[in-house]
């Protein structure tokens, strides 16, 4: 059985220094203390560590291959992010490898092992799970990494994401200002922070407006179309809600399908703008995420990380916007009592 390939972390432990110091020595930084540099080079010889040649080639102006790892090949949000990363990568003389994990942790683990074996120069990753995704194979192989859309708890990595709490607040403001007072939100699994943060922001804003909401105002799906349809059917059976906010695009499509043909139905506010949201009747109001901007920011951040691996990890949060169409047109007169919820107005970096 083949032995494990030594990593930069092995060198750091042997030399008694940080992995950042090892990286600076390997890449020829002139600012490293001579004694530390001597220890690192001795540790490299002892461990048999071989630096990632492709990553070093990129920093010296050569070509490299990066990978984009996304959960779902059919989700337009993820495919648009991949497209934008590819566009930026081509301009940076990089080729792009695309992999999909199908929201499966075992597939994700296999994918990481394959990327390490290929010695890719960097990875843009939309992880499967915020608590169970294991980034250590990529980190120990010294592969630059940028997370997109989803966090991994405890990971010290670059991140580009939507400000999802703010997105939920904007959704509440939009519906409240149009006279709705009996909201329901359809969220994803509680362990998925993206949809959980949207639901949290949504319910917090309604409470701030003096509208009593609780667990009865929250339904959950599994991010896919059928669960959105089922949740909306449950809402229609209850007959209490006058407005529904759906926190991801696939469930939004299912919720709309359940409303089709009904003359009396709650207002529907979907997530993500797409061609179908404009063409259906009624056309759908949406909380539109800055998907293309997210992809571009992730690609540029990865390029910076590959060029300067010692830089401190950073987080970029981008702001969504409401696109108003027919599905949330006012059903009652405005001016009902209760203050409108507040939403932060500062711009994302």
């Amino acid at each position: 059985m083949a032995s494990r390939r030594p990593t930069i972390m092995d060198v750091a432990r042997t030399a008694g220094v940080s992995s950042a110091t090892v990286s600076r020595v390997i890449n020829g930084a002139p600012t490293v203390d001579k004694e530390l540099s001597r220890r690192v080079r001795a540790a490299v010889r002892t461990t048999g560590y071989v630096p990632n040649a492709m990553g070093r080639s990129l920093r010296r102006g050569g070509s490299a291959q990066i990978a984009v790892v996304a959960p779902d090949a059919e989700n337009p949000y993820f495919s648009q992010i991949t497209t934008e990363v590819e566009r930026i990568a081509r301009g940076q003389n990089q080729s792009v490898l695309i992999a999909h994990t199908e929201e499966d942790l075992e597939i994700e683990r296999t994918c990481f092992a394959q990327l390490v074996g290929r010695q890719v120069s960097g990875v843009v990753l939309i992880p499967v799970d915020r608590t169970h995704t294991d980034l250590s194979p990529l980190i120990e192989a010294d592969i630059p990494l940028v997370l997109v859309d989803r966090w991994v708890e405890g990971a010290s990595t670059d991140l580009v994401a939507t400000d999802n709490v703010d997105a939920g607040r904007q959704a509440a403001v939009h519906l409240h200002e149009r006279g709705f007072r009996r909201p329901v939100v359809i969220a994803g699994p509680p362990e998925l922070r993206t949809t959980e943060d949207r639901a949290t922001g949504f319910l917090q804003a309604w409470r701030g407006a003096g509208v009593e909401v609780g667990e009865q105002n929250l339904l959950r799906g599994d991010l896919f179309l059928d669960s959105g349809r089922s949740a909306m059917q449950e809402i229609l059976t209850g007959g209490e809600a006058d407005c529904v906010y759906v926190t991801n695009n696939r469930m939004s499509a299912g919720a709309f399908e359940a409303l089709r043909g009904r003359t009396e139905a709650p207002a529907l506010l979907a997530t993500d703008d797409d061609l179908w949201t404009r063409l259906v009747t009624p056309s759908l109001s949406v909380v539109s995420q800055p998907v293309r901007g997210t992809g571009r920011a992730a690609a540029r951040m990865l390029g910076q990380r590959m060029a300067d691996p010692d830089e401190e990890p950073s987080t970029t949060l981008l702001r969504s916007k409401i696109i108003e169409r027919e599905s949330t047109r006012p059903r009652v007169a405005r001016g009902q009592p209760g203050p409108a919820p507040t939403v932060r107005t500062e711009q994302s970096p």
Side-chain angles (χ1 to χ4, degrees):
M1 184 176 179
S3 60
R4 182 176 66 88
R5 185 168 67 92
T7 70
I8 197 169
M9 298 301 295
D10 296 324
V11 176
R13 282 190 291 268
T14 302
V17 299
S18 69
S19 59
T21 297
V22 175
S23 179
R24 286 196 295 271
V25 172
I26 290 172
N27 291 303
T31 57
V32 183
D33 177 82
K34 289 184 179 180
E35 172 58 22
L36 290 181
S37 179
R38 184 194 64 76
R39 283 162 49 188
V40 168
R41 296 187 187 284
V44 168
R45 291 191 296 271
T46 299
T47 60
Y49 172 70
V50 178
N52 185 330
M54 295 185 74
R56 297 182 68 187
S57 173
L58 177 72
R59 290 189 285 272
R60 295 170 180 171
S63 62
Q65 182 182 61
I66 67 171
V68 180
V69 182
D72 183 357
E74 297 180 359
N75 190 316
Y77 175 77
F78 299 137
S79 62
Q80 288 179 53
I81 286 178
T82 299
T83 297
E84 291 305 316
V85 172
E86 286 186 288
R87 286 175 178 166
I88 297 297
R90 282 196 296 269
Q92 296 176 342
N93 196 29
Q94 299 165 356
S95 61
V96 180
L97 173 68
I98 299 171
H100 295 100
T101 58
E102 301 177 24
E103 299 282 8
D104 186 299
L105 283 168
E106 188 57 41
I107 295 176
E108 185 179 65
R109 282 191 286 269
T110 300
C111 177
F112 290 171
Q114 292 171 342
L115 296 179
V116 170
R118 286 174 176 264
Q119 292 192 320
V120 297
S121 297
V123 175
V124 171
L125 170 66
I126 304 167
V128 170
D129 188 275
R130 70 178 181 183
T131 57
H132 296 104
T133 287
D134 181 8
L135 301 177
S136 60
L138 301 177
I139 293 172
E140 290 184 359
D142 196 27
I143 296 176
L145 173 65
V146 173
L147 301 184
V148 177
D149 187 58
R150 302 176 182 178
W151 289 254
V152 173
E153 291 183 359
S156 179
T157 59
D158 295 306
L159 170 71
V160 180
T162 301
D163 188 338
N164 291 300
V165 173
D166 177 67
R169 289 174 179 153
Q170 288 191 60
V173 168
H174 176 77
L175 294 168
H176 186 278
E177 288 181 345
R178 279 142 194 82
F180 301 104
R181 294 297 183 270
R182 301 190 307 278
V184 171
V185 57
I186 302 175
E191 63 271 14
L192 183 63
R193 185 169 171 180
T194 49
T195 59
E196 192 70 2
D197 282 355
R198 290 168 200 161
T200 296
F202 184 75
L203 295 174
Q204 285 176 346
W206 281 106
R207 293 186 187 105
V211 177
E212 186 175 344
V213 293
E215 287 303 313
Q216 72 277 9
N217 301 91
L218 171 65
L219 295 180
R220 294 196 182 277
D222 62 5
L223 306 179
F224 294 96
L225 187 144
D226 287 347
S227 68
R229 184 194 305 113
S230 297
M232 181 58 80
Q233 288 169 343
E234 182 178 341
I235 292 168
L236 294 172
T237 299
E240 296 295 326
D242 66 359
C243 61
V244 178
Y245 167 47
V246 190
T247 59
N248 96 316
N249 52 7
R250 304 289 286 278
M251 293 192 301
S252 295
F256 177 81
E257 188 177 24
L259 294 178
R260 186 174 295 169
R262 291 178 176 265
T263 55
E264 295 294 330
L268 177 60
L269 181 59
T271 293
D272 289 340
D273 195 24
D274 202 355
L275 180 61
W276 75 270
T277 61
R278 289 166 263 166
L279 297 181
V280 296
T281 303
S283 57
L284 278 188
S285 298
V286 298
V287 181
S288 178
Q289 298 186 84
V291 55
R292 297 192 183 281
T294 298
R296 289 192 293 268
R300 290 173 179 139
M301 186 176 286
L302 182 63
Q304 292 170 0
R305 174 60 54 195
M306 292 160 66
D308 186 2
D310 303 329
E311 194 174 311
E312 285 296 314
S314 65
T315 295
T316 298
L317 295 181
L318 304 178
R319 197 164 189 251
S320 299
K321 65 179 181 179
I322 302 290
I323 299 176
E324 183 176 5
R325 299 193 180 104
E326 296 169 342
S327 67
T328 59
R329 61 181 180 270
R331 313 290 171 84
V332 296
R334 297 190 187 186
Q336 295 190 15
T342 57
V343 171
R344 291 177 291 128
T345 58
E346 65 267 24
Q347 296 297 313
S348 298

